[in-house]
Structures are given as structure tokens and as C-alpha cells.
Amino acid sequence: VKPIVKWAGGKTQLLPTLLPLLAGGRLVEPFLGGAAAALARGGDCIVGDACEDLMEMYDQVRHKPLTVARVLHELADDHCEEAYYRVRARVPLWAPHRAARFLYLNKACFNGLYRVNRSGLFNVPFGRGAPAWPTTTQLMALSREAWRWSMECRDFEETIGYARRGDVVYADPPYDETFDYASGFGADDRTRLRAALGRARVRGARCVVTDADTPVVRELYKTWTVTEIVERRRIGATTREPAACLLIVGDAIR
Ligand SMILES: C[S@@+](CC[C@H](N)C(=O)[O-])C[C@H]1O[C@@H](n2cnc3c(N)ncnc32)[C@H](O)[C@@H]1O
């Protein structure tokens, strides 16, 4: 099952490197985003993300994949620039409709960005090109996978707190030095993440982290196993430039 949303920092192209490191008990994924790792690995997962709209979408696709598909495909049939701005301006009252709107906007907006204004309303402009709408089959497949997830919109520290002996935590936070406007993840959060992962290792979980190659990240994880890897990240509108990032592994301490 492939990710259903385009998401900044999506990890699909790193999967060949990542997957062998994620074998073990349950997968704990505190920064779920597009869920590339959880979907590729499959099985029992404990997942979370601070983005409420994203987590509501997963929850609705899990419970009502056919309803979400129907509403999404109705929106897709009417798709044009004017319709996009009409859909963007109005948040539906019914949750399956909100989930369909979320998927519609994710596919139709500029670059699959997620950004909200001060009052929490999605404000990314229209994107050119032909959106690849998720099919009913894809939504049903995601629904089946998501029944294996214990999921909630929550802070990463709470999700990591569930990791216990034999579990594997995969943490892919918003990268250092790329400010994430939607979540405001900052320096204190990065330190708090390092501490939460250290505690998970002591409880017997292996931890795997990906982050930018910066002095701050290297200092935080200087006692862990750190490898440089190259990732093709979307920098401008269309180019995907190779950028250095760090793959950080800390095995269970007990
Ligand atoms: C780099 S993305 C993860 C991408 C994901 N690995 C994928 O394959 O698509 C980082 C995610 O962290 C989430 N996030 C930011 N601050 C958070 C927090 N305090 N707790 C949990 N999630 C947070 C964002 O909403 C975003 O989805």
C-alpha cells in the first residue's frame, strides 16, 4: 500500500535503506505524515501526528473508505480552479466530507503543501497539472492497513511513550533548519525528542531517526550510530535536488 497523500518530507525513496532497520515488534511512528514507513512495513503500528486534519483523514478512511471515496470523486469530477477555491473556503460539518476535502486539496493544491492561516483555514493556492486522485481500491487498501494502527492526533512524546521492549521507533521530525510553519516544531522540540527516544531505548526499543545534517543534530546524537545518506528532497517548485541527511540508529539499551 502506497501513501495516499503527498507530504513534505515523504520517505518513499528512502525505503530500501530504512525498511531493514525497522524489522521487529510493533512500529512506533510519532511523525506519521504520508505514512510511507508504516505502510511499507505493514503490521501492528502505533502512530500519531500533530496535524489534526491529517489524522482525521486517516481515521475516516479507516472507518468509511467508500463514503470518503464517493465524496472525493464527486469533488474530482467538478475539479477546476474556481471549484478548488470554493472547496478550500468551506470546511464541511460532516467528518467523512472533511476527509474527502482534505484529500482533494492535497492532490489539487500547489506541490501538495499543507499550510493553514491563523484561524486554521487551509490556504495553499491552486496547483497546475492533473491531480492523481486516490482510487476507491487505494482507499480500501489503506483502510485495511489502518485497522492495524493505534492512531491519534497527538504530540510525538506521547506516541513514543508507548514504545516498549522489542518495538522499533521511527522518528522523522520536521528537519532542522527547515522551519515547519504548520506545526512550529523548534529547537526545544528537537531536544525533547532526543530525550524521549533515549528513554524508549532504556525501555528496550530500538530507535531510528532521520534528520538534516546540521551541527545541532550531530551534537544531539553524538553517542548514537550516525550515517550520512543522500535524499532527493523537493526544494523548489519542481526540482528534486540531492541533499545530505542523517540516518541515526540507537539500539535498545537493555
Ligand atoms: C517530515 S514530516 C514526516 C514525513 C513522513 N515520514 C512521511 O513519510 O510522509 C514531519 C511530520 O511531523 C508532524 N509534526 C510536527 N510537530 C509535531 C509534534 N510536536 N508531534 C507530532 N507530530 C508533529 C508534522 O505534522 C509532519 O507531518
Side-chain angles (χ1 to χ4, degrees), residues 15 22 32 41 63 73 80 89 93-94 102 118-119 155 174 180 193 196 198 236 239:
L15 287 174
L22 305 182
L32 185 64
R41 204 196 80 135
H63 285 94
H73 296 147
C80 64
L93 288 174
W94 200 42
F102 179 89
R118 273 167 206 272
S119 31
D155 180 68
D180 178 359
L193 171 63
T239 53

mmCIF file with all atom_site columns, all heavy atoms in Angstrom, residues 15 22 32 41 63 73 80 89 93-94 102 118-119 155 174 180 193 196 198 236 239:
data_model
loop_
_atom_site.group_PDB
_atom_site.id
_atom_site.type_symbol
_atom_site.label_atom_id
_atom_site.label_alt_id
_atom_site.label_comp_id
_atom_site.label_asym_id
_atom_site.label_entity_id
_atom_site.label_seq_id
_atom_site.pdbx_PDB_ins_code
_atom_site.Cartn_x
_atom_site.Cartn_y
_atom_site.Cartn_z
_atom_site.occupancy
_atom_site.B_iso_or_equiv
_atom_site.pdbx_formal_charge
_atom_site.auth_seq_id
_atom_site.auth_comp_id
_atom_site.auth_asym_id
_atom_site.auth_atom_id
_atom_site.pdbx_PDB_model_num
ATOM 1   N N   . LEU A 1 15  ? 12.964  4.154  1.437   1.00 0.00 ? 15  LEU A N   1
ATOM 2   C CA  . LEU A 1 15  ? 12.501  2.880  1.999   1.00 0.00 ? 15  LEU A CA  1
ATOM 3   C C   . LEU A 1 15  ? 13.504  1.723  1.875   1.00 0.00 ? 15  LEU A C   1
ATOM 4   O O   . LEU A 1 15  ? 13.661  0.957  2.826   1.00 0.00 ? 15  LEU A O   1
ATOM 5   C CB  . LEU A 1 15  ? 11.156  2.488  1.390   1.00 0.00 ? 15  LEU A CB  1
ATOM 6   C CG  . LEU A 1 15  ? 9.976   3.330  1.888   1.00 0.00 ? 15  LEU A CG  1
ATOM 7   C CD1 . LEU A 1 15  ? 8.708   2.970  1.124   1.00 0.00 ? 15  LEU A CD1 1
ATOM 8   C CD2 . LEU A 1 15  ? 9.766   3.141  3.389   1.00 0.00 ? 15  LEU A CD2 1
ATOM 9   N N   . LEU A 1 22  ? 13.783  -1.393 10.333  1.00 0.00 ? 22  LEU A N   1
ATOM 10  C CA  . LEU A 1 22  ? 12.522  -1.274 11.065  1.00 0.00 ? 22  LEU A CA  1
ATOM 11  C C   . LEU A 1 22  ? 11.897  -2.622 11.394  1.00 0.00 ? 22  LEU A C   1
ATOM 12  O O   . LEU A 1 22  ? 10.765  -2.695 11.863  1.00 0.00 ? 22  LEU A O   1
ATOM 13  C CB  . LEU A 1 22  ? 11.520  -0.423 10.264  1.00 0.00 ? 22  LEU A CB  1
ATOM 14  C CG  . LEU A 1 22  ? 12.008  0.983  9.857   1.00 0.00 ? 22  LEU A CG  1
ATOM 15  C CD1 . LEU A 1 22  ? 10.907  1.730  9.113   1.00 0.00 ? 22  LEU A CD1 1
ATOM 16  C CD2 . LEU A 1 22  ? 12.459  1.794  11.074  1.00 0.00 ? 22  LEU A CD2 1
ATOM 17  N N   . LEU A 1 32  ? 3.794   10.787 11.626  1.00 0.00 ? 32  LEU A N   1
ATOM 18  C CA  . LEU A 1 32  ? 3.284   9.892  10.591  1.00 0.00 ? 32  LEU A CA  1
ATOM 19  C C   . LEU A 1 32  ? 3.311   10.480 9.184   1.00 0.00 ? 32  LEU A C   1
ATOM 20  O O   . LEU A 1 32  ? 3.712   9.801  8.244   1.00 0.00 ? 32  LEU A O   1
ATOM 21  C CB  . LEU A 1 32  ? 1.847   9.469  10.951  1.00 0.00 ? 32  LEU A CB  1
ATOM 22  C CG  . LEU A 1 32  ? 1.226   8.437  10.022  1.00 0.00 ? 32  LEU A CG  1
ATOM 23  C CD1 . LEU A 1 32  ? 1.996   7.130  10.087  1.00 0.00 ? 32  LEU A CD1 1
ATOM 24  C CD2 . LEU A 1 32  ? -0.225  8.206  10.392  1.00 0.00 ? 32  LEU A CD2 1
ATOM 25  N N   . ARG A 1 41  ? 5.987   -1.225 5.737   1.00 0.00 ? 41  ARG A N   1
ATOM 26  C CA  . ARG A 1 41  ? 6.307   -2.312 6.646   1.00 0.00 ? 41  ARG A CA  1
ATOM 27  C C   . ARG A 1 41  ? 5.079   -3.153 6.968   1.00 0.00 ? 41  ARG A C   1
ATOM 28  O O   . ARG A 1 41  ? 5.145   -4.377 7.082   1.00 0.00 ? 41  ARG A O   1
ATOM 29  C CB  . ARG A 1 41  ? 6.926   -1.757 7.938   1.00 0.00 ? 41  ARG A CB  1
ATOM 30  C CG  . ARG A 1 41  ? 7.794   -2.791 8.655   1.00 0.00 ? 41  ARG A CG  1
ATOM 31  C CD  . ARG A 1 41  ? 8.073   -2.370 10.083  1.00 0.00 ? 41  ARG A CD  1
ATOM 32  N NE  . ARG A 1 41  ? 6.953   -2.669 10.934  1.00 0.00 ? 41  ARG A NE  1
ATOM 33  C CZ  . ARG A 1 41  ? 7.065   -3.238 12.134  1.00 0.00 ? 41  ARG A CZ  1
ATOM 34  N NH1 . ARG A 1 41  ? 8.258   -3.535 12.618  1.00 0.00 ? 41  ARG A NH1 1
ATOM 35  N NH2 . ARG A 1 41  ? 6.010   -3.478 12.861  1.00 0.00 ? 41  ARG A NH2 1
ATOM 36  N N   . HIS A 1 63  ? -12.587 4.048  8.806   1.00 0.00 ? 63  HIS A N   1
ATOM 37  C CA  . HIS A 1 63  ? -13.965 3.659  9.115   1.00 0.00 ? 63  HIS A CA  1
ATOM 38  C C   . HIS A 1 63  ? -14.892 3.689  7.906   1.00 0.00 ? 63  HIS A C   1
ATOM 39  O O   . HIS A 1 63  ? -15.831 2.896  7.835   1.00 0.00 ? 63  HIS A O   1
ATOM 40  C CB  . HIS A 1 63  ? -14.537 4.571  10.200  1.00 0.00 ? 63  HIS A CB  1
ATOM 41  C CG  . HIS A 1 63  ? -13.997 4.262  11.563  1.00 0.00 ? 63  HIS A CG  1
ATOM 42  N ND1 . HIS A 1 63  ? -12.918 4.922  12.087  1.00 0.00 ? 63  HIS A ND1 1
ATOM 43  C CD2 . HIS A 1 63  ? -14.369 3.360  12.477  1.00 0.00 ? 63  HIS A CD2 1
ATOM 44  C CE1 . HIS A 1 63  ? -12.653 4.431  13.291  1.00 0.00 ? 63  HIS A CE1 1
ATOM 45  N NE2 . HIS A 1 63  ? -13.515 3.477  13.552  1.00 0.00 ? 63  HIS A NE2 1
ATOM 46  N N   . HIS A 1 73  ? -14.572 11.624 -5.180  1.00 0.00 ? 73  HIS A N   1
ATOM 47  C CA  . HIS A 1 73  ? -14.719 11.523 -6.636  1.00 0.00 ? 73  HIS A CA  1
ATOM 48  C C   . HIS A 1 73  ? -15.747 12.508 -7.176  1.00 0.00 ? 73  HIS A C   1
ATOM 49  O O   . HIS A 1 73  ? -15.624 12.990 -8.306  1.00 0.00 ? 73  HIS A O   1
ATOM 50  C CB  . HIS A 1 73  ? -14.990 10.073 -7.038  1.00 0.00 ? 73  HIS A CB  1
ATOM 51  C CG  . HIS A 1 73  ? -13.813 9.174  -6.702  1.00 0.00 ? 73  HIS A CG  1
ATOM 52  N ND1 . HIS A 1 73  ? -13.926 7.861  -6.322  1.00 0.00 ? 73  HIS A ND1 1
ATOM 53  C CD2 . HIS A 1 73  ? -12.464 9.455  -6.638  1.00 0.00 ? 73  HIS A CD2 1
ATOM 54  C CE1 . HIS A 1 73  ? -12.713 7.363  -6.056  1.00 0.00 ? 73  HIS A CE1 1
ATOM 55  N NE2 . HIS A 1 73  ? -11.821 8.323  -6.236  1.00 0.00 ? 73  HIS A NE2 1
ATOM 56  N N   . CYS A 1 80  ? -11.773 22.197 -11.091 1.00 0.00 ? 80  CYS A N   1
ATOM 57  C CA  . CYS A 1 80  ? -11.222 23.279 -11.913 1.00 0.00 ? 80  CYS A CA  1
ATOM 58  C C   . CYS A 1 80  ? -10.740 24.326 -10.896 1.00 0.00 ? 80  CYS A C   1
ATOM 59  O O   . CYS A 1 80  ? -10.956 24.170 -9.693  1.00 0.00 ? 80  CYS A O   1
ATOM 60  C CB  . CYS A 1 80  ? -12.275 23.889 -12.843 1.00 0.00 ? 80  CYS A CB  1
ATOM 61  S SG  . CYS A 1 80  ? -13.617 24.691 -11.948 1.00 0.00 ? 80  CYS A SG  1
ATOM 62  N N   . ALA A 1 89  ? -12.559 27.200 0.658   1.00 0.00 ? 89  ALA A N   1
ATOM 63  C CA  . ALA A 1 89  ? -13.136 28.236 1.521   1.00 0.00 ? 89  ALA A CA  1
ATOM 64  C C   . ALA A 1 89  ? -14.098 27.679 2.570   1.00 0.00 ? 89  ALA A C   1
ATOM 65  O O   . ALA A 1 89  ? -14.456 28.378 3.521   1.00 0.00 ? 89  ALA A O   1
ATOM 66  C CB  . ALA A 1 89  ? -13.863 29.265 0.660   1.00 0.00 ? 89  ALA A CB  1
ATOM 67  N N   . LEU A 1 93  ? -19.242 20.194 7.723   1.00 0.00 ? 93  LEU A N   1
ATOM 68  C CA  . LEU A 1 93  ? -19.535 19.840 9.105   1.00 0.00 ? 93  LEU A CA  1
ATOM 69  C C   . LEU A 1 93  ? -19.387 18.346 9.366   1.00 0.00 ? 93  LEU A C   1
ATOM 70  O O   . LEU A 1 93  ? -19.165 17.915 10.479  1.00 0.00 ? 93  LEU A O   1
ATOM 71  C CB  . LEU A 1 93  ? -20.975 20.254 9.449   1.00 0.00 ? 93  LEU A CB  1
ATOM 72  C CG  . LEU A 1 93  ? -21.176 21.759 9.594   1.00 0.00 ? 93  LEU A CG  1
ATOM 73  C CD1 . LEU A 1 93  ? -22.643 22.075 9.777   1.00 0.00 ? 93  LEU A CD1 1
ATOM 74  C CD2 . LEU A 1 93  ? -20.347 22.295 10.754  1.00 0.00 ? 93  LEU A CD2 1
ATOM 75  N N   . TRP A 1 94  ? -19.530 17.543 8.319   1.00 0.00 ? 94  TRP A N   1
ATOM 76  C CA  . TRP A 1 94  ? -19.544 16.091 8.484   1.00 0.00 ? 94  TRP A CA  1
ATOM 77  C C   . TRP A 1 94  ? -18.139 15.545 8.248   1.00 0.00 ? 94  TRP A C   1
ATOM 78  O O   . TRP A 1 94  ? -17.510 15.821 7.212   1.00 0.00 ? 94  TRP A O   1
ATOM 79  C CB  . TRP A 1 94  ? -20.562 15.508 7.500   1.00 0.00 ? 94  TRP A CB  1
ATOM 80  C CG  . TRP A 1 94  ? -21.020 14.135 7.854   1.00 0.00 ? 94  TRP A CG  1
ATOM 81  C CD1 . TRP A 1 94  ? -21.330 13.674 9.093   1.00 0.00 ? 94  TRP A CD1 1
ATOM 82  C CD2 . TRP A 1 94  ? -21.177 13.042 6.958   1.00 0.00 ? 94  TRP A CD2 1
ATOM 83  N NE1 . TRP A 1 94  ? -21.683 12.351 9.028   1.00 0.00 ? 94  TRP A NE1 1
ATOM 84  C CE2 . TRP A 1 94  ? -21.610 11.935 7.725   1.00 0.00 ? 94  TRP A CE2 1
ATOM 85  C CE3 . TRP A 1 94  ? -21.014 12.873 5.582   1.00 0.00 ? 94  TRP A CE3 1
ATOM 86  C CZ2 . TRP A 1 94  ? -21.865 10.690 7.165   1.00 0.00 ? 94  TRP A CZ2 1
ATOM 87  C CZ3 . TRP A 1 94  ? -21.283 11.639 5.021   1.00 0.00 ? 94  TRP A CZ3 1
ATOM 88  C CH2 . TRP A 1 94  ? -21.702 10.558 5.804   1.00 0.00 ? 94  TRP A CH2 1
ATOM 89  N N   . PHE A 1 102 ? -9.964  17.120 2.456   1.00 0.00 ? 102 PHE A N   1
ATOM 90  C CA  . PHE A 1 102 ? -8.528  17.118 2.750   1.00 0.00 ? 102 PHE A CA  1
ATOM 91  C C   . PHE A 1 102 ? -7.759  16.444 1.607   1.00 0.00 ? 102 PHE A C   1
ATOM 92  O O   . PHE A 1 102 ? -6.755  16.962 1.116   1.00 0.00 ? 102 PHE A O   1
ATOM 93  C CB  . PHE A 1 102 ? -8.274  16.388 4.074   1.00 0.00 ? 102 PHE A CB  1
ATOM 94  C CG  . PHE A 1 102 ? -6.821  16.306 4.457   1.00 0.00 ? 102 PHE A CG  1
ATOM 95  C CD1 . PHE A 1 102 ? -6.227  17.313 5.204   1.00 0.00 ? 102 PHE A CD1 1
ATOM 96  C CD2 . PHE A 1 102 ? -6.033  15.233 4.047   1.00 0.00 ? 102 PHE A CD2 1
ATOM 97  C CE1 . PHE A 1 102 ? -4.878  17.246 5.537   1.00 0.00 ? 102 PHE A CE1 1
ATOM 98  C CE2 . PHE A 1 102 ? -4.690  15.159 4.370   1.00 0.00 ? 102 PHE A CE2 1
ATOM 99  C CZ  . PHE A 1 102 ? -4.109  16.171 5.125   1.00 0.00 ? 102 PHE A CZ  1
ATOM 100 N N   . ARG A 1 118 ? -3.901  31.857 10.320  1.00 0.00 ? 118 ARG A N   1
ATOM 101 C CA  . ARG A 1 118 ? -4.018  31.982 11.773  1.00 0.00 ? 118 ARG A CA  1
ATOM 102 C C   . ARG A 1 118 ? -5.294  31.374 12.329  1.00 0.00 ? 118 ARG A C   1
ATOM 103 O O   . ARG A 1 118 ? -5.333  30.903 13.452  1.00 0.00 ? 118 ARG A O   1
ATOM 104 C CB  . ARG A 1 118 ? -3.988  33.463 12.170  1.00 0.00 ? 118 ARG A CB  1
ATOM 105 C CG  . ARG A 1 118 ? -2.607  33.989 12.360  1.00 0.00 ? 118 ARG A CG  1
ATOM 106 C CD  . ARG A 1 118 ? -2.634  35.502 12.425  1.00 0.00 ? 118 ARG A CD  1
ATOM 107 N NE  . ARG A 1 118 ? -1.352  36.049 12.004  1.00 0.00 ? 118 ARG A NE  1
ATOM 108 C CZ  . ARG A 1 118 ? -0.333  36.243 12.824  1.00 0.00 ? 118 ARG A CZ  1
ATOM 109 N NH1 . ARG A 1 118 ? -0.438  35.964 14.092  1.00 0.00 ? 118 ARG A NH1 1
ATOM 110 N NH2 . ARG A 1 118 ? 0.810   36.729 12.376  1.00 0.00 ? 118 ARG A NH2 1
ATOM 111 N N   . SER A 1 119 ? -6.356  31.401 11.530  1.00 0.00 ? 119 SER A N   1
ATOM 112 C CA  . SER A 1 119 ? -7.585  30.798 12.054  1.00 0.00 ? 119 SER A CA  1
ATOM 113 C C   . SER A 1 119 ? -7.719  29.333 11.661  1.00 0.00 ? 119 SER A C   1
ATOM 114 O O   . SER A 1 119 ? -8.795  28.746 11.781  1.00 0.00 ? 119 SER A O   1
ATOM 115 C CB  . SER A 1 119 ? -8.812  31.622 11.641  1.00 0.00 ? 119 SER A CB  1
ATOM 116 O OG  . SER A 1 119 ? -8.607  32.248 10.413  1.00 0.00 ? 119 SER A OG  1
ATOM 117 N N   . ASP A 1 155 ? 0.988   14.722 20.300  1.00 0.00 ? 155 ASP A N   1
ATOM 118 C CA  . ASP A 1 155 ? 2.380   15.122 20.281  1.00 0.00 ? 155 ASP A CA  1
ATOM 119 C C   . ASP A 1 155 ? 3.275   13.874 20.244  1.00 0.00 ? 155 ASP A C   1
ATOM 120 O O   . ASP A 1 155 ? 2.927   12.827 20.787  1.00 0.00 ? 155 ASP A O   1
ATOM 121 C CB  . ASP A 1 155 ? 2.651   15.929 21.559  1.00 0.00 ? 155 ASP A CB  1
ATOM 122 C CG  . ASP A 1 155 ? 4.085   16.382 21.626  1.00 0.00 ? 155 ASP A CG  1
ATOM 123 O OD1 . ASP A 1 155 ? 4.490   17.223 20.809  1.00 0.00 ? 155 ASP A OD1 1
ATOM 124 O OD2 . ASP A 1 155 ? 4.834   15.867 22.489  1.00 0.00 ? 155 ASP A OD2 1
ATOM 125 N N   . PRO A 1 174 ? 10.091  17.200 11.451  1.00 0.00 ? 174 PRO A N   1
ATOM 126 C CA  . PRO A 1 174 ? 10.408  18.273 10.507  1.00 0.00 ? 174 PRO A CA  1
ATOM 127 C C   . PRO A 1 174 ? 11.903  18.563 10.635  1.00 0.00 ? 174 PRO A C   1
ATOM 128 O O   . PRO A 1 174 ? 12.416  18.652 11.748  1.00 0.00 ? 174 PRO A O   1
ATOM 129 C CB  . PRO A 1 174 ? 9.571   19.454 11.028  1.00 0.00 ? 174 PRO A CB  1
ATOM 130 C CG  . PRO A 1 174 ? 8.444   18.816 11.788  1.00 0.00 ? 174 PRO A CG  1
ATOM 131 C CD  . PRO A 1 174 ? 9.030   17.584 12.404  1.00 0.00 ? 174 PRO A CD  1
ATOM 132 N N   . ASP A 1 180 ? 8.962   24.476 9.982   1.00 0.00 ? 180 ASP A N   1
ATOM 133 C CA  . ASP A 1 180 ? 7.664   23.943 9.593   1.00 0.00 ? 180 ASP A CA  1
ATOM 134 C C   . ASP A 1 180 ? 6.585   24.880 10.159  1.00 0.00 ? 180 ASP A C   1
ATOM 135 O O   . ASP A 1 180 ? 6.276   24.863 11.331  1.00 0.00 ? 180 ASP A O   1
ATOM 136 C CB  . ASP A 1 180 ? 7.536   22.516 10.172  1.00 0.00 ? 180 ASP A CB  1
ATOM 137 C CG  . ASP A 1 180 ? 6.187   21.893 9.869   1.00 0.00 ? 180 ASP A CG  1
ATOM 138 O OD1 . ASP A 1 180 ? 5.351   22.561 9.236   1.00 0.00 ? 180 ASP A OD1 1
ATOM 139 O OD2 . ASP A 1 180 ? 5.978   20.740 10.269  1.00 0.00 ? 180 ASP A OD2 1
ATOM 140 N N   . LEU A 1 193 ? 12.655  15.552 21.807  1.00 0.00 ? 193 LEU A N   1
ATOM 141 C CA  . LEU A 1 193 ? 12.584  14.310 21.037  1.00 0.00 ? 193 LEU A CA  1
ATOM 142 C C   . LEU A 1 193 ? 13.761  13.405 21.399  1.00 0.00 ? 193 LEU A C   1
ATOM 143 O O   . LEU A 1 193 ? 13.586  12.209 21.648  1.00 0.00 ? 193 LEU A O   1
ATOM 144 C CB  . LEU A 1 193 ? 12.601  14.630 19.529  1.00 0.00 ? 193 LEU A CB  1
ATOM 145 C CG  . LEU A 1 193 ? 12.739  13.418 18.586  1.00 0.00 ? 193 LEU A CG  1
ATOM 146 C CD1 . LEU A 1 193 ? 11.537  12.478 18.736  1.00 0.00 ? 193 LEU A CD1 1
ATOM 147 C CD2 . LEU A 1 193 ? 12.858  13.882 17.127  1.00 0.00 ? 193 LEU A CD2 1
ATOM 148 N N   . ALA A 1 196 ? 13.110  11.822 24.730  1.00 0.00 ? 196 ALA A N   1
ATOM 149 C CA  . ALA A 1 196 ? 12.047  10.798 24.702  1.00 0.00 ? 196 ALA A CA  1
ATOM 150 C C   . ALA A 1 196 ? 12.578  9.516  24.062  1.00 0.00 ? 196 ALA A C   1
ATOM 151 O O   . ALA A 1 196 ? 12.246  8.405  24.495  1.00 0.00 ? 196 ALA A O   1
ATOM 152 C CB  . ALA A 1 196 ? 10.833  11.318 23.934  1.00 0.00 ? 196 ALA A CB  1
ATOM 153 N N   . GLY A 1 198 ? 15.730  8.538  23.997  1.00 0.00 ? 198 GLY A N   1
ATOM 154 C CA  . GLY A 1 198 ? 16.673  7.939  24.945  1.00 0.00 ? 198 GLY A CA  1
ATOM 155 C C   . GLY A 1 198 ? 15.935  7.080  25.966  1.00 0.00 ? 198 GLY A C   1
ATOM 156 O O   . GLY A 1 198 ? 16.362  5.965  26.289  1.00 0.00 ? 198 GLY A O   1
ATOM 157 N N   . GLY A 1 236 ? 12.713  23.417 -4.674  1.00 0.00 ? 236 GLY A N   1
ATOM 158 C CA  . GLY A 1 236 ? 11.912  24.452 -5.340  1.00 0.00 ? 236 GLY A CA  1
ATOM 159 C C   . GLY A 1 236 ? 10.584  23.873 -5.790  1.00 0.00 ? 236 GLY A C   1
ATOM 160 O O   . GLY A 1 236 ? 10.090  22.912 -5.209  1.00 0.00 ? 236 GLY A O   1
ATOM 161 N N   . THR A 1 239 ? 12.134  20.944 -8.858  1.00 0.00 ? 239 THR A N   1
ATOM 162 C CA  . THR A 1 239 ? 13.398  20.211 -8.810  1.00 0.00 ? 239 THR A CA  1
ATOM 163 C C   . THR A 1 239 ? 13.483  19.375 -7.541  1.00 0.00 ? 239 THR A C   1
ATOM 164 O O   . THR A 1 239 ? 12.976  19.742 -6.492  1.00 0.00 ? 239 THR A O   1
ATOM 165 C CB  . THR A 1 239 ? 14.599  21.175 -8.802  1.00 0.00 ? 239 THR A CB  1
ATOM 166 O OG1 . THR A 1 239 ? 14.397  22.102 -7.753  1.00 0.00 ? 239 THR A OG1 1
ATOM 167 C CG2 . THR A 1 239 ? 14.760  21.871 -10.126 1.00 0.00 ? 239 THR A CG2 1
#
